Amino acid sequence: MTILTIDFEASCLPRHGRSFPIEVGLAGPAMVRSWLIRPSDDWFGWDWTAEAEALHGLSRERIAREGQSVDMVLRELAALVDGFCVVADSVLDQYWLETLAIAARTTAPFAIDHVAQLLDERQIDEAGIMAAVAYADAHHPARHRAACDAQWLQAVVSHALRETPEAAPAPRLYMVESLC
């Protein structure tokens, strides 16, 4: 089974207020894709923190100018993950997927599993997880952009499951776009 990893960047963390997704990244063996998300009118007045902007480096102006519509992002994302297992390293990613879907006037087209569940099911022990994290840290040091974080998590998963991106079957995805 091919596992895809996903990561969202957001306007702020929910503990700082009403948070909305501003970027989503998706990674699989030999594939990475990301989208900047133009804020929906539904999110007008929602929170934005300087702390989050400093972390991901994306300004409101940039996502307004370069971002894609919530409808298009959700449609393309759903098409790419169809039939694959999707995992993230935070439960907040499911929240931001649902926030994106609500703005697109639909329901979330897929569920995001937590990577811990996958690692538990495969009985990966703590030493294996630590080795996988060290591998990902060494090979994907750039962080806090959606594509970079999705690639980092893909490296963790691949290494923990003892698969290399070259050895794993490639998903039926053709676009390779990396910001990392």
Side-chain angles (χ1 to χ4, degrees):
M1 167 184 24
T2 299
I3 297 165
L4 303 181
T5 54
I6 193 167
D7 183 77
F8 282 88
E9 298 298 325
S11 63
C12 66
L13 291 175
R15 69 175 179 255
H16 296 130
R18 293 185 74 190
S19 175
F20 59 91
I22 64 168
E23 183 181 38
V24 60
L26 185 68
M31 180 283 299
V32 63
R33 174 75 199 270
S34 68
W35 298 261
L36 290 178
I37 304 166
R38 185 173 57 244
S40 166
D41 291 341
D42 294 354
W43 302 332
F44 180 79
W46 287 32
D47 296 294
W48 183 280
T49 65
E51 176 186 21
E53 184 173 333
L55 193 61
H56 51 60
L58 296 169
S59 68
R60 283 180 178 242
E61 295 76 21
R62 181 172 178 197
I63 62 170
R65 183 179 63 249
E66 297 176 23
Q68 304 299 315
S69 72
V70 295
D71 297 354
M72 190 199 83
V73 171
L74 190 66
R75 185 174 49 253
E76 289 185 9
L77 184 60
L80 288 174
V81 305
D82 186 40
F84 295 104
C85 173
V86 181
V87 300
D89 59 1
S90 172
V91 295
L92 291 175
D93 292 296
Q94 183 69 43
Y95 164 78
W96 287 312
L97 175 63
E98 291 170 5
T99 301
L100 182 67
I102 290 167
R105 308 287 189 265
T106 189
T107 58
F110 58 93
I112 300 172
D113 293 325
H114 195 279
V115 68
Q117 178 183 348
L118 173 70
L119 298 175
D120 286 347
E121 287 172 358
R122 303 289 177 93
Q123 299 178 337
I124 308 300
D125 63 14
E126 187 174 346
I129 293 169
M130 296 305 291
V133 168
Y135 174 85
D137 286 345
H139 290 85
H140 298 283
R143 299 296 304 275
H144 305 299
R145 288 294 303 272
C148 298
D149 289 354
Q151 280 185 301
W152 178 88
L153 185 57
Q154 182 63 220
V156 168
V157 169
S158 294
H159 191 273
L161 301 180
R162 303 294 190 260
E163 299 173 354
T164 62
E166 297 77 31
R172 56 174 163 55
L173 307 173
Y174 303 113
M175 177 152 307
V176 176
E177 175 184 313
S178 178
L179 304 172
C180 307

